[in-house]
Amino acid sequence: GRAGFGGRDFALVALICLAWAGNFLTSKLALREFPPLLFTALRLVLLCLLLSPLIKRPPAGQWPRLAAVAICNGVLHFGLSFWSLSLSHTLASPAIVMQSYVPMAALLAWWLLGERFHWRTGAAIALSFAGVLVLGFDPSVLKAPDALLLMLVSALFLAIGTVLMRGLRGLDVFSQQGWTAIIGVGPLLLASWLIEPDMRAEIASASWVAWFGVVYAALIASVVGHGL
């Protein structure tokens, strides 16, 4: 028979959830000092350095899909999600809305990849969307509706990137993350230079709390969370 989802698997999933939950908190603190696109770019720069010894060249024919995954996940998802966090007055609402990428990815896989699921899964998808509406849209959301809209769009790009990743071949998880960081750094630095305050001044004046947020996002959220 098929291998079940055992205790070790649940423990790893719990560790992933813990890593990502901490990322919302540490990133929110860091975004008090770093503008969101610069923060995202710094995260990817550090990720490049951490993973550079492990990155392998992708097989022929994988570059277009790999570039699309990097733009969706590394640039648009990360950039918009941190932009949302920087605008939000609360942490819980954008964190909850981000989870809408899971049913989005399931629906996209059904539409684009022809994946089929049982009616109970369909009911669960509908229920999860309803849960996001109930839990995410508390009264404080009305103070910054643009933050929730940005997070919703960010979740959509993560769902698209997740579906595109299904077609990648010949790349291990650290090579995928490493190339996502390498490809995404340039567009993010350019966007930050164009629309955000002076990058050099922001970097020079940042406290250890802001730099801890960058390290946590790269090392714990990406290498540990996404790696697992």
Side-chain angles (χ1 to χ4, degrees), residues 8 21 27 32 46 55 67-68 72 84-86 92-94 99 102 104 106 134 137-139 163 208 212-214:
R8 175 178 176 273
S27 296
R32 294 177 177 177
L46 182 54
I55 298 174
C72 286
S84 170
L85 281 179
S86 70
S93 293
Q99 307 318 309
V102 178
M104 286 180 184
V134 172
F137 288 83
D138 59 50
V163 172
W208 70 267
F212 178 78
V214 173

Side-chain angles (χ1 to χ4, degrees), residues 27-129:
S27 296
K28 180 66 174 177
L29 293 173
L31 288 167
R32 294 177 177 177
E33 302 180 48
F34 286 130
L37 298 181
L38 177 59
F39 176 77
T40 310
L42 291 173
R43 171 186 182 163
L44 295 190
V45 168
L46 182 54
L47 194 57
C48 289
L49 296 175
L50 291 171
L51 296 180
S52 58
L54 305 174
I55 298 174
K56 299 175 183 177
R57 185 178 179 84
Q62 292 292 290
W63 282 109
R65 182 177 291 269
L66 181 58
V69 170
I71 295 300
C72 286
N73 290 356
V75 178
L76 296 170
H77 161 58
F78 282 151
L80 292 174
S81 63
F82 289 132
W83 196 350
S84 170
L85 281 179
S86 70
L87 296 175
S88 178
H89 297 286
T90 66
L91 192 62
S93 293
I96 291 169
V97 169
M98 172 50 65
Q99 307 318 309
S100 63
Y101 93 89
V102 178
M104 286 180 184
L107 290 174
L108 285 171
W110 165 73
W111 181 35
L112 299 175
L113 302 180
E115 293 188 4
R116 298 290 182 261
F117 45 77
H118 195 272
W119 69 266
R120 286 175 295 188
T121 304
I125 290 173
L127 184 62
S128 63
F129 274 120

Side-chain angles (χ1 to χ4, degrees), residues 105-201:
L107 290 174
L108 285 171
W110 165 73
W111 181 35
L112 299 175
L113 302 180
E115 293 188 4
R116 298 290 182 261
F117 45 77
H118 195 272
W119 69 266
R120 286 175 295 188
T121 304
I125 290 173
L127 184 62
S128 63
F129 274 120
V132 167
L133 292 175
V134 172
L135 295 174
F137 288 83
D138 59 50
S140 64
V141 170
L142 298 178
K143 299 178 182 178
D146 48 346
L148 268 295
L149 179 60
L150 284 171
M151 190 61 83
L152 196 62
V153 176
S154 168
L156 175 60
F157 280 115
L158 178 58
I160 295 171
T162 300
V163 172
L164 289 173
M165 284 175 64
R166 291 288 301 275
L168 287 175
R169 298 291 182 267
L171 281 172
D172 58 45
V173 61
F174 294 118
S175 293
Q176 287 186 29
Q177 289 196 74
W179 283 114
T180 295
I182 291 170
I183 295 170
V185 163
L188 284 165
L189 286 176
L190 177 61
S192 178
W193 178 71
L194 289 173
I195 67 176
E196 291 177 340
D198 183 46
M199 290 190 292
R200 289 176 296 180

